[in-house]
Amino acid sequence: MISWRQWSRGTLERIVLLVLTTSSLTFAQTRLFVAPAGDDKQTGTLTSPLATLGKALEKVKTAPQNEVQIFLRKGVYYLPQPVRIEPKIIGTKKLLISAYNNEQVELNGGRKLRLNWHKSGERIWTATVTGEPFEQLFINGQKQTLARYPNYDSTARFFNGTAADAISKERIKRWKNPAGGYIHALHRHEWGDFHYRITGKHNDTITYEGGWQNNRPMGLHPKERFVENIAEELDAPGEWFYDRMTQTLSVIPPAGIDLATAVVEVSQLKSLIQLTGMPDAPLRHVRIQGLRLVNTERTFMEAYEPLLRSDWMLYRGAAIYLENTEDCRIDDCELTNLGSNAILVSRYNRNASVKSCYIHHIGATAIGFVGDTSAVRSPAFRYERFVPYADMDLRPGPKNNRYPGHCIAEDNLIHHIGEIEKQSTGVEISMASDITVRHNSIYHVPRAGINIGDGTWGGHLLEFNDVFETVLETGDHGAFNSWGRDRFWHPNRETMDSLVAAHPELVRLDAQKPVVIRNNRFRCDHGWDVDLDDGSSNYLIYNNVLLNGGLKFREGFYRTAENNVILNNSFHPHVWFKNSDDIFRKNIVMRPYFPIQINYWGKALDYNLFPDPPALQSAQQRNTDVHSRFGDPQFLNPDRGDYRVGKASPALTVGFQNFPMNQFGVQKASLRAMAHTPKLPTLINLQQEKNVTEMTWLGIQIRNVQGLGDRSAFGLPDEHGIVVLTVLKESKLAASGIQKGDVIRSVNGTDVATIGQLTTIQQQLHFMSAIPVRVMRNQQLIDLNLPIK
């Protein structure tokens, strides 16, 4: 029997042990608090907070515990310089920087202005602003428009408005001193864009510098261009101009804005948070959570570097920048009103994570995983450049570890990016290994939603993403795009053919591990849903829904596409290699294949479901698809986006397997509530399409040629073609030169006899902004270019 004294002593010991254990758990981390109304002379407790994040970081290294948590209280923190976190500041501590209890915390890269406004003329208000010049102005949190020509137009496809006469002599004559203004233009082939700074004016001619932002320098687009930051172009509500010489800010305020009471902010910093270690001493275990980051400066005139032979040039900076880190995380942050990139994981990083962030209305790319070219063996830096085989480093894989590896972008909502830089994307991967891109919703982007710039070094996993409203301001690209201009690739096809025939091992020296693209939903209305461009090799693509643009495989090796649903489109094989080992099987397509310059048909094209007998026969005549079938796939609920097939579907007989249709995009409830979803297509019926004899096409009324009567009336050599019945002035084709009574005879060099053939070829050329047509007019053949976008 235990005595009271023995029980009391044992119980007391357990209570003491419990208290000690609980205390050690409660105080396992050092907690520091920061508040806008705090004081850096205080201790940093909840009741005596510090005033700045910089002061809190100074206390991290000497904190008694190994884990330190810095909590920011509600409010706006205007940063005088980027928050730089590195080992010499925090030592080996594990660090969390977070909003306290989900309070609204904003890190602001700009400065708040207190101004004395004066009216100048009928609409313009002016104020003196001293300090550093700036290129972004925000009124009550809304970005204003830098004075520009043509004026801002939210309905315009490119740059919110462009004009062919943007730098015409007549326009230039209006400008007194345009130095410091900018010229922005699309690439001549719509492969991104260019930016220039005006340096001076002489009579009706200007001088300018720039154009280094694109790795395919072919000149400005002749029409799609605009100018900004020129005083004489200040002429519309919401526009502004800052005269650096006189330090005068001029604004035409938007309707309903009282500048006397408005919050006016301007951009200042190019970066807000920098997580940086050293190659031999990486920064470890830093987590940024629950912050709103805004108002960084534009960077399109900073130094750029080529990302090997992809079309990209890169400004190596961002609002949040990581280099030489391990196990660092960016969670639940909002990044908006940024002039440049949002998050860049640069050079050496391992296990970096970007999760559940909301990134929108920014100047360039949302998330980038980009290594250093020093890690690449025998690198070349432009499309047309190549390291000869005799000079090539033939060892496989990376040369050093200066690249991101085993990193992840997951559950992020990304939209309205690339507002100024069009060679941008939702997620960029270049010179990296084993990157996971999962459950992201990415839309309203000027170019690809996800882009892989090269084959180095593969192992990436892209799954459960929802990517749509892509390639909105460029062309010849995809919702997903890749290049593979690696060591084996040469711009001269004959040279490349002979090289890979003699040395097939070259292909996987860089593209070492397969890239897996599975369980995604893609849509592109100005290109391909999935575009594996020049040299892209070593891909496994399955269980994806392609809503509009189809699947393209340009020259490359070791690509397998199976069990994909390709709606209203088909497979686009372009210029394949002999012995490419490409496989296309168990897919559902809704049009015939669209091959271009195909002499070799890969390893296997078979067991696919085609829409009708002619589409299947077209494939089988090329000695592919021996076991494929045709028929209605019997989708369960296409109007709701459920493209699983019914039990009696012929797709099941060729090996197609259903996969989930409800797991695309962001999963976090708050992000999912905000996220858009893609427009679902109205499914075509090829037979009905072929039977159409009259229709409205791109705003004009057309019909098939009808017999000998039309042949005689229009002076045709046969009874084939499409007659133009009416051309409305408001149609997109009105300015192209096409006229009532024209007969369309060919499209892009291919003869067309019927409307069905016309629409099929249009679908094949959907990535083009305009298509060349030949029409018969008054018994004369005339060549026209018809805009289709």
Side-chain angles (χ1 to χ4, degrees):
M1 183 140 180
I2 299 175
S3 67
W4 179 89
R5 185 182 298 275
Q6 289 173 320
W7 181 90
S8 298
R9 183 170 60 188
T11 302
L12 182 61
E13 288 173 349
R14 287 193 292 272
I15 292 172
V16 170
L17 178 61
L18 179 62
V19 170
L20 291 174
T21 302
T22 304
S23 298
S24 65
L25 290 172
T26 303
F27 302 106
Q29 306 92 13
T30 296
R31 290 187 163 195
L32 298 170
F33 292 84
V34 181
D39 189 329
D40 279 349
K41 295 180 181 179
Q42 296 183 145
T43 57
T45 64
L46 181 60
T47 55
S48 299
L50 302 167
T52 65
L53 184 54
K55 191 63 178 179
L57 287 170
E58 290 178 11
K59 296 178 176 290
V60 172
K61 195 170 185 178
T62 58
Q65 279 79 28
N66 188 48
E67 296 186 24
V68 179
Q69 299 172 333
I70 298 176
F71 290 106
L72 303 180
R73 300 302 307 272
K74 179 180 180 180
V76 178
Y77 297 80
Y78 292 97
L79 301 178
Q81 63 271 327
V83 176
R84 190 172 178 87
I85 303 171
E86 49 191 7
K88 70 179 182 181
I89 295 175
I90 69 169
T92 59
K93 307 288 187 181
K94 292 183 178 180
L95 175 64
L96 168 68
I97 299 176
S98 176
Y100 179 67
N101 280 356
N102 296 316
E103 293 180 353
Q104 298 296 309
V105 174
E106 178 177 290
L107 298 188
N108 195 311
R111 53 192 175 110
K112 185 177 180 180
L113 304 181
R114 292 173 175 81
L115 303 172
N116 293 317
W117 292 100
H118 305 279
K119 197 165 187 181
S120 176
E122 292 186 7
R123 298 190 297 169
I124 297 176
W125 292 80
T126 63
T128 298
V129 180
T130 60
E132 290 295 316
F134 48 89
E135 293 192 355
Q136 296 213 95
L137 173 74
F138 306 92
I139 298 178
N140 294 338
Q142 298 298 310
K143 184 170 70 172
Q144 305 301 296
T145 301
L146 190 53
R148 55 170 286 164
Y149 174 78
N151 286 336
Y152 183 95
D153 178 1
S154 62
T155 66
R157 182 181 170 197
F158 303 112
F159 286 119
N160 295 118
T162 56
D165 67 342
I167 53 174
S168 66
K169 291 183 178 182
E170 292 74 18
R171 199 83 204 169
I172 292 170
K173 287 177 182 178
R174 302 175 67 252
W175 306 335
K176 182 178 179 181
N177 180 20
Y182 295 109
I183 305 165
H184 306 279
L186 278 190
H187 186 285
R188 183 173 295 274
H189 296 296
E190 299 184 356
W191 299 338
D193 54 350
F194 297 102
H195 309 271
Y196 301 84
R197 181 187 291 115
I198 299 173
T199 56
K201 172 191 172 184
H202 180 68
N203 296 327
D204 57 5
T205 303
I206 56 173
T207 56
Y208 47 87
E209 61 182 1
W212 50 69
Q213 306 88 354
N214 193 296
N215 207 23
R216 299 292 296 276
M218 296 180 178
L220 285 71
H221 196 286
K223 296 181 180 179
E224 313 303 348
R225 50 176 69 175
F226 79 102
V227 293
E228 66 170 355
N229 200 34
I230 297 173
E232 288 79 6
E233 303 301 347
L234 178 60
D235 59 2
E239 286 192 345
W240 65 278
F241 176 77
Y242 179 66
D243 189 323
R244 299 187 182 202
M245 298 296 293
T246 64
Q247 296 186 316
T248 301
L249 172 63
S250 300
V251 177
I252 302 178
I257 294 295
D258 181 358
L259 291 177
T261 58
V263 176
V264 180
E265 298 168 317
V266 295
S267 54
Q268 178 174 260
L269 303 179
K270 298 182 182 72
S271 181
L272 302 180
I273 298 176
Q274 299 174 354
L275 307 182
T276 56
M278 298 294 291
D280 57 347
L283 178 72
R284 296 186 173 96
H285 302 297
V286 175
R287 183 182 181 191
I288 310 296
Q289 176 180 279
L291 307 181
R292 187 172 191 263
L293 299 100
V294 302
N295 296 9
T296 57
E297 189 55 280
R298 306 192 302 181
T299 60
F300 56 81
M301 291 303 296
E302 297 295 317
Y304 277 62
E305 60 183 272
L307 297 187
L308 300 177
R309 290 193 285 172
S310 79
D311 289 2
W312 273 55
M313 302 285 285
L314 175 76
Y315 165 68
R316 202 174 280 273
I320 301 179
Y321 181 83
L322 292 81
E323 183 170 339
N324 293 321
T325 76
E326 295 177 359
D327 300 295
C328 290
R329 299 171 56 182
I330 313 298
D331 294 340
D332 303 297
C333 291
E334 179 183 6
L335 297 96
T336 188
N337 282 347
L338 305 176
S340 183
N341 304 318
I343 300 171
L344 182 59
V345 182
S346 172
R347 301 189 174 103
Y348 176 79
N349 291 273
R350 296 295 181 270
N351 304 312
S353 170
V354 181
K355 186 173 183 180
S356 299
C357 290
Y358 181 29
I359 304 173
H360 61 105
H361 296 94
I362 65 171
T365 288
I367 303 170
F369 300 96
V370 181
D372 191 84
T373 56
S374 70
V376 180
R377 299 184 187 276
S378 300
F381 297 101
R382 282 267 286 276
Y383 175 93
E384 66 274 14
R385 295 175 185 170
F386 178 77
V387 177
Y389 181 79
D391 299 331
M392 197 179 291
D393 182 342
L394 298 176
R395 288 168 290 182
K399 198 173 181 179
N400 59 45
N401 66 358
R402 299 190 69 193
Y403 60 89
H406 299 281
C407 301
I408 185 169
E410 182 174 13
D411 202 24
N412 300 288
L413 175 56
I414 299 169
H415 64 84
H416 288 84
I417 65 170
E419 291 192 317
I420 189 66
E421 299 184 48
K422 305 309 172 185
Q423 193 73 285
S424 55
T425 186
V427 180
E428 166 70 4
I429 301 171
S430 177
M431 297 170 286
S433 177
D434 299 288
I435 305 300
T436 297
V437 183
R438 175 187 296 137
H439 276 304
N440 302 284
S441 291
I442 304 172
Y443 55 90
H444 205 97
V445 299
R447 205 134 171 77
I450 302 173
N451 186 75
I452 297 180
D454 46 76
T456 56
W457 287 275
H460 313 310
L461 173 61
L462 281 57
E463 61 179 358
F464 300 108
N465 299 289
D466 205 7
V467 185
F468 55 98
E469 292 178 15
T470 57
V471 197
L472 294 182
E473 298 186 63
T474 55
D476 193 11
H477 213 53
F480 168 81
N481 180 81
S482 65
W483 293 289
R485 300 167 187 153
D486 304 325
R487 275 179 274 185
F488 78 91
W489 194 87
H490 195 285
N492 182 293
R493 182 56 190 263
E494 291 183 4
T495 301
M496 182 162 50
D497 281 346
S498 61
L499 182 65
V500 295
H503 304 285
E505 72 282 357
L506 289 179
V507 176
R508 285 192 277 211
L509 292 183
D510 293 312
Q512 292 186 289
K513 293 173 281 187
V515 174
V516 176
I517 303 177
R518 67 187 183 194
N519 297 98
N520 303 281
R521 183 167 60 182
F522 293 107
R523 176 161 185 158
C524 182
D525 291 354
H526 302 281
W528 293 272
D529 294 337
V530 173
D531 183 357
L532 269 59
D533 209 356
D534 300 346
S536 298
S537 299
N538 210 358
Y539 278 77
L540 178 58
I541 302 173
Y542 64 94
N543 290 8
N544 300 282
V545 176
L546 310 187
L547 291 174
N548 183 72
L551 171 63
K552 170 187 158 188
F553 280 8
R554 193 172 165 85
E555 81 246 335
F557 293 87
Y558 313 120
R559 286 88 57 92
T560 295
E562 60 183 11
N563 217 71
N564 300 286
V565 177
I566 304 177
L567 301 172
N568 289 358
N569 212 305
S570 190
F571 185 41
H572 296 251
H574 293 184
V575 292
W576 280 10
F577 291 102
K578 186 178 182 180
N579 300 322
S580 69
D581 268 6
D582 288 328
I583 296 172
F584 184 80
R585 64 189 174 200
K586 302 179 184 178
N587 302 284
I588 298 173
V589 300
M590 296 187 68
R591 289 187 183 273
Y593 295 156
F594 294 121
I596 294 179
Q597 297 180 34
I598 295 294
N599 297 317
Y600 310 101
W601 282 94
K603 185 176 182 179
L605 279 77
D606 207 355
Y607 297 97
N608 299 294
L609 182 68
F610 287 83
D612 60 12
L616 175 57
Q617 291 165 7
S618 175
Q620 291 178 338
Q621 287 170 1
R622 302 185 184 102
N623 298 317
T624 68
D625 292 279
V626 173
H627 302 96
S628 296
R629 294 191 61 183
F630 69 88
D632 181 353
Q634 301 178 28
F635 296 128
L636 291 181
N637 196 346
D639 292 340
R640 300 294 297 273
D642 186 351
Y643 302 105
R644 293 175 299 166
V645 301
K647 293 181 180 179
S649 170
L652 300 177
T653 67
V654 294
F656 179 85
Q657 296 181 8
N658 283 321
F659 55 93
M661 298 284 169
N662 59 355
Q663 299 176 8
F664 308 118
V666 290
Q667 300 297 295
K668 184 179 178 182
S670 59
L671 295 179
R672 198 168 181 86
M674 292 188 291
H676 293 186
T677 55
K679 178 183 177 182
L680 300 176
T682 300
L683 299 184
I684 63 167
N685 182 305
L686 278 188
Q687 191 58 47
Q688 291 179 1
E689 188 177 82
K690 290 174 182 176
N691 292 335
V692 170
T693 60
E694 185 173 331
M695 69 178 294
T696 299
W697 180 70
L698 300 176
I700 67 174
Q701 194 70 18
I702 58 175
R703 67 165 172 81
N704 289 338
V705 166
Q706 298 172 351
L708 289 173
D710 278 350
R711 179 175 180 177
S712 176
F714 296 106
L716 303 176
D718 52 36
E719 298 171 22
H720 299 155
I722 299 101
V723 179
V724 178
L725 300 176
T726 58
V727 180
L728 299 178
K729 290 182 178 180
E730 60 271 21
S731 75
K732 65 173 60 179
L733 300 188
S736 69
I738 198 165
Q739 299 178 9
K740 177 182 177 181
D742 287 349
V743 179
I744 300 172
R745 297 284 295 171
S746 69
V747 178
N748 199 37
T750 301
D751 291 343
V752 290
T754 64
I755 288 174
Q757 291 177 348
L758 172 66
T759 56
T760 296
I761 293 176
Q762 179 194 356
Q763 182 65 29
Q764 184 178 1
L765 302 175
H766 68 283
F767 60 93
M768 300 173 65
S769 295
I771 55 175
V773 302
R774 177 164 289 180
V775 303
M776 181 72 80
R777 180 187 301 166
N778 299 325
Q779 300 187 32
Q780 298 291 323
L781 289 172
I782 298 173
D783 292 325
L784 301 172
N785 279 301
L786 305 185
I788 59 174
K789 301 298 184 185

